[in-house]
Amino acid sequence: MPPVTLEKRNGIALLIIDNPPVNALGHAVRAGLAESIRAAEADGTVEAIVIASAGKTFIAGADIKEFNAPPQPPSLPELLAAIDACKKPFVAAIDGAALGGGLEVALTCDFRLATPASTLGLPEVKLGLIPGAGGTQRLPRLIDPAAALSMMAEGNPKTAEAAARLGIVDEIIPAENLLDVAVTFARQRAAEGAKRRLSERTPASAERAAVEEAATKILKKRAGEPQVEAIVRCVRAAFEESFKDATRLERELFLQLKENERSKALRYAFFAEREAARKPQVAEGAAPRPVKQVAIIGGGTMGSGIAIAFLDAGIATTVIETDEAGASRAAERISGNYQSAVDRGRISAEQKEDRLSLLKTEVGLDKVGQADLVVEAAFEDMAVKREIFSTLDRIAKPRAVLATNTSYLDVNEIAAATARPEDVLGMHFFSPANIMQLVEVVRASATSDETLLTAIATAKMLQKTPVVVGVGHGFVGNRMLARRSEQVDRLLLEGASPSEIDAALTEFGFKMGPCAMGDLAGLDISWRMRKATGRRAPAADALCEAGRLGQKTGRGYYLYPDASRKGVPDPEAETIIQAAAEREGIARRTISRQEILQRLIYPMINEGARILEEGIAERPADIDVIWLHGYAWPRWRGGPMYYADQMGLATIAAELERLSTDQKDESLAPAGLLASLAREGKGFHS
Ligand code: 3HC
């Protein structure tokens, strides 16, 4: 099947794009469209042209995969120039997503019809790009230019209805009639001689002040994002320059941004997310089981957060506690969370009631009843968890999925407490569980394919990003994080201050550094865990022993005067850390920002390499997605394994060798996989 077909109906040329999966505007589609447009223009019996698509997407935009290779003609701007030069009217018949270059095609047409389920947007900004085929010029010439600027800077698609309100869509048409209506509509417009070429318009100059006001706000909020600055430049050019000159500027900026490392990393992240979402290796015919009722064991912060995620997805949820007081605390926590969402205008009072009507809080494990999925979010202790699972084994309905939300423990050992280990796996949510997107789905050795697929489907139902991982202490994310935490403590002892450590990571792009984050979460959490596992972190241990547990005690790594949430450097913390360093016999010195950064990140990458070697994660992209969605790794840096490839594995291996010698720690030496890839001059992704 050619990617573009031309059919003639009643004097109208109907061009249908059929390029699965999403009708991206790859070279073959561009060439096919150019050819069909030439044919339709030359055909004296054709009065107008309709552009439509097969499948459930109108056009997802340019083919992002082509961006890493030299462009092949016709380019998208050349194709759109051919539409603009054609004397016959064009109608876009949109059914499904019209995104990026897809919307730019539609904007070049004279008229736009869309089905109610369609979405329209210019999301290039999320890939570190700007619309590069006239979008920055045509949209402000069609709708309120300030609204056009916001739409491009945010990149979020609009529903057909919202797009119609803005003036992007002329009419909304039921999907079943779209092509017939489009053909009739095109005939009428041709008969009227109606054409509406946006390239011939100028934006409403009265709106210039509003555009400047919006631009000031956007530039302040999105400082440091070159693509946002470029969008603002292009919209300003729409007022100041001719269409031709302004589109030339747009194209120049687009091509520059395409080569920018930030855009490359953002494009990588887009594909990594899709790779991680692929179905894991399972037997042919394996399918997920339906999940209609859920029970959560434990209504603490984590259990309540998980319950909210299920309630938000419209799933009946029972939260089970050990006593009445615990059950009412859980109920209060959940309804309090919804009340604050109402107060902040995020949901209506009615939505709150709807969601709470799906919630039950109960006492006693026997209340799991007929739940299709049980998520255990009890205390992080193997004996506690084994006891819960052995009870669940007796009382949960046959073939219910039994998931543990453990962050570190051995899921095989938990599964062994039951006589149905095939139904057991880990679903590791991240706090706050109703907000964080990541779920590590932990496949234990006996987990069945159906159980695994059910957990994945459930996470997707919650609008979350599931990544399949294997059993191992801390799975993927926390295991790598532990290596960073070790270095934080070591750096403090060697003389780096909490603010220097935090600044190294915030300058790198994280929203928060590890010391500020530790203070926010409470330093006692990891202190307790270290004590339970016989590990030490001399600086953090000393702070905890001095009663400095973070924000909740008004002091931790930082001081929080007058219950403020913003910490300030505290000489007392410095003295405590210095004393700890003396006890450890560690000499203190000034440590450069670069050394701090490398020591925080390279050992994590090394652990990522071991995780790949051991098969705990299947692909480097899985590790990157875990860090993007569970640990707020800056998206424009792709993820730790992607970043490693950009730095060069040989550089990282050399630095790890040095660290391992300095710290007399064999575990810091380059992992086998990292060392061998470095020797071959390869990266994790090549
Ligand atoms: N180019 C190449 N491949 C694309 C693509 C694109 N623009 N959009 C999606 N795909 C691929 C995905 O990688 C995936 O491939 P896989 O099956 O091999 O993993 C497949 O299409 C299906 O994609 P999704 O899994 O995302 O499918 P959904 O149905 O969930 O979502 C969508 C569909 C809403 C269209 C979503 O894919 C999407 O948002 N795509 C990107 C849209 C975008 O950013 N467009 C702008 C591109 S840049 C541009 O147009 C520049 C121009 O201004 C010059």
Side-chain angles (χ1 to χ4, degrees):
M1 210 34 197
V4 180
T5 50
L6 190 165
E7 182 190 320
K8 264 179 27 191
R9 278 201 206 172
N10 243 345
I12 300 300
L14 184 56
L15 312 192
I16 308 263
I17 302 170
D18 190 0
N19 182 33
V22 291
N23 294 325
L25 292 162
H27 173 248
V29 174
R30 297 195 306 274
L33 277 173
E35 181 50 42
S36 303
I37 290 165
R38 258 195 304 275
E41 192 174 16
D43 185 338
T45 65
V46 167
E47 291 163 33
I49 298 154
V50 171
I51 299 183
S53 290
K56 53 185 182 71
T57 308
F58 173 65
I59 304 172
D63 187 334
I64 308 166
K65 288 198 181 101
E66 284 185 358
F67 286 0
N68 294 335
Q72 287 189 59
S75 68
L76 192 53
E78 281 162 357
L79 173 68
L80 301 192
I83 295 181
D84 233 10
C86 178
K87 302 247 168 348
K88 299 177 182 177
F90 279 74
V91 176
I94 301 168
D95 185 20
L99 300 176
L103 182 55
E104 289 175 302
V105 168
L107 289 171
T108 313
C109 295
D110 301 86
F111 305 97
R112 285 154 294 279
L113 309 179
T115 59
S118 297
T119 51
L120 297 92
L122 293 170
E124 288 88 341
V125 71
K126 297 190 179 189
L127 299 171
L129 298 168
I130 61 171
T136 68
Q137 298 310 305
R138 288 193 174 90
L139 195 59
R141 284 168 165 82
L142 177 64
I143 64 170
D144 168 12
L149 172 58
S150 307
M151 191 168 152
M152 289 187 275
E154 284 159 16
N156 298 326
K158 306 276 181 199
T159 60
E161 203 187 305
R165 271 200 306 274
L166 280 168
I168 301 173
V169 166
D170 297 298
E171 281 181 34
I172 296 186
I173 312 289
E176 57 277 19
N177 303 336
L178 180 67
L179 291 188
D180 290 343
V181 172
V183 167
T184 314
F185 184 96
R187 277 185 68 78
Q188 283 165 354
R189 293 302 166 277
E192 290 161 6
K195 277 213 306 176
R196 258 186 358 187
R197 294 288 142 95
L198 296 174
S199 55
E200 289 163 9
R201 288 191 187 174
T202 45
S205 58
E207 304 301 332
R208 181 70 207 254
V211 164
E212 282 312 315
E213 199 179 310
T216 309
K217 280 194 202 137
I218 289 167
L219 289 174
K220 186 161 173 236
K221 197 167 151 208
R222 307 282 295 274
E225 290 186 65
Q227 74 276 32
V228 176
E229 287 163 25
I231 288 171
V232 170
R233 248 182 98 183
C234 289
V235 175
R236 283 179 176 150
F239 289 90
E240 290 159 5
E241 292 175 30
S242 67
F243 179 83
K244 199 166 153 216
D245 288 345
T247 37
R248 194 178 302 131
L249 170 74
E250 176 201 79
R251 189 67 186 164
E252 232 169 72
L253 293 173
F254 173 83
L255 293 174
Q256 273 170 27
L257 287 163
K258 193 158 73 78
E259 298 311 316
N260 185 307
E261 293 308 319
R262 293 174 71 110
S263 172
K264 287 184 184 164
L266 289 166
R267 273 139 51 193
Y268 162 79
F270 175 84
F271 287 115
E273 282 165 352
R274 275 144 191 90
E275 201 174 325
R278 281 208 191 107
K279 207 166 149 182
Q281 285 194 349
V282 287
E284 183 98 4
R289 301 201 276 264
V291 171
K292 299 218 165 67
Q293 281 186 54
V294 172
I296 316 279
I297 317 286
T301 312
M302 203 63 204
S304 298
I306 298 172
I308 293 167
F310 279 101
L311 297 170
D312 285 349
I315 298 170
T317 303
T318 305
V319 175
I320 296 172
E321 264 293 342
T322 44
D323 56 24
E324 288 295 347
S328 32
R329 270 198 306 273
E332 274 162 32
R333 197 172 280 133
I334 295 169
S335 73
N337 190 296
Y338 278 126
Q339 187 53 49
S340 77
V342 172
D343 295 344
R344 275 185 263 136
R346 294 224 178 111
I347 57 169
S348 66
E350 209 181 334
Q351 280 170 316
K352 171 190 152 191
E353 291 313 321
D354 282 352
R355 290 176 197 182
L356 286 175
S357 71
L358 297 168
L359 172 71
K360 276 197 214 151
T361 46
E362 300 276 11
V363 175
L365 282 182
D366 53 320
K367 297 295 190 317
V368 297
Q370 291 301 300
D372 305 300
L373 165 68
V374 182
V375 182
E376 168 276 315
F379 194 62
E380 189 74 341
D381 177 280
M382 182 55 85
V384 172
K385 301 219 187 248
R386 279 183 60 92
E387 168 140 14
I388 290 173
F389 274 78
S390 101
T391 311
L392 287 176
D393 189 24
R394 276 187 281 111
I395 58 175
K397 78 170 189 184
R399 311 198 67 220
V401 169
L402 308 179
T404 169
N405 177 52
T406 179
S407 314
Y408 289 94
L409 299 176
D410 183 340
V411 181
N412 286 328
E413 205 179 324
I414 296 172
T418 73
R420 40 168 140 169
E422 66 280 6
D423 292 333
V424 179
L425 85 176
M427 282 184 83
H428 180 211
F429 289 83
F430 288 71
S431 188
N434 51 319
I435 293 173
M436 296 298 283
Q437 245 191 301
L438 178 66
V439 181
E440 284 181 327
V441 176
V442 190
R443 184 182 206 165
S445 43
T447 305
S448 73
D449 290 349
E450 284 76 17
T451 302
L452 184 72
L453 293 177
T454 308
I456 293 172
T458 304
K460 286 187 178 164
M461 208 154 65
L462 306 182
Q463 309 288 321
K464 299 209 176 283
T465 306
V467 182
V468 177
V469 300
V471 175
H473 188 77
F475 315 116
V476 172
N478 281 348
R479 176 167 161 186
M480 289 167 70
L481 184 68
R483 303 318 304 257
R484 187 175 90 182
S485 306
E486 282 163 19
Q487 289 303 313
V488 168
D489 209 72
R490 178 86 200 187
L491 283 161
L492 288 167
L493 295 171
E494 286 181 31
S497 69
S499 10
E500 283 169 337
I501 292 175
D502 283 350
L505 282 193
T506 51
E507 280 164 16
F508 181 77
F510 279 92
K511 290 260 167 358
M512 225 183 195
C515 296
M517 184 61 99
D519 277 358
L520 178 68
L523 300 183
D524 49 330
I525 299 178
S526 33
W527 188 33
R528 207 180 309 124
M529 198 134 75
R530 283 194 299 276
K531 283 197 282 194
T533 51
R535 284 173 304 123
R536 294 172 64 234
D541 291 347
L543 290 170
C544 290
E545 278 152 21
R548 304 181 65 109
L549 304 182
Q551 280 193 26
K552 61 183 165 192
T553 56
R555 59 196 63 207
Y557 288 114
Y558 296 96
L559 184 67
Y560 298 85
D562 307 322
S564 111
R565 290 161 70 90
K566 178 137 184 49
V568 293
D570 184 2
E572 190 188 293
E574 206 46 43
T575 311
I576 293 172
I577 294 169
Q578 263 178 33
E582 246 167 67
R583 283 196 298 277
E584 298 296 314
I586 294 176
R588 287 166 67 78
R589 64 187 169 97
T590 305
I591 307 178
S592 74
R593 205 47 71 81
Q594 194 199 3
E595 181 181 338
I596 295 176
L597 184 67
Q598 290 177 345
R599 285 177 56 178
L600 293 177
I601 290 184
Y602 291 178
M604 261 174 41
I605 292 169
N606 203 26
E607 203 60 33
R610 279 196 195 102
I611 283 168
L612 288 173
E613 261 167 25
E614 294 167 20
I616 303 285
E618 202 181 316
R619 300 161 285 224
D622 293 357
I623 299 182
D624 286 333
V625 171
I626 285 174
W627 273 81
L628 289 174
H629 291 296
Y631 300 85
W633 180 278
R635 193 172 170 86
W636 57 273
R637 289 205 187 262
M641 309 315 271
Y642 177 84
Y643 177 72
D645 285 356
Q646 309 314 301
M647 290 294 103
L649 297 192
T651 309
I652 294 178
E655 195 53 38
L656 285 167
E657 287 287 6
R658 200 183 62 72
L659 264 185
S660 162
T661 314
D662 282 0
Q663 296 185 25
K664 299 183 188 56
D665 182 350
E666 268 294 299
S667 73
L668 286 168
L673 175 68
L674 194 151
S676 66
L677 289 173
R679 270 194 304 277
E680 293 165 36
K682 289 189 181 160
F684 290 115
H685 298 82
S686 56

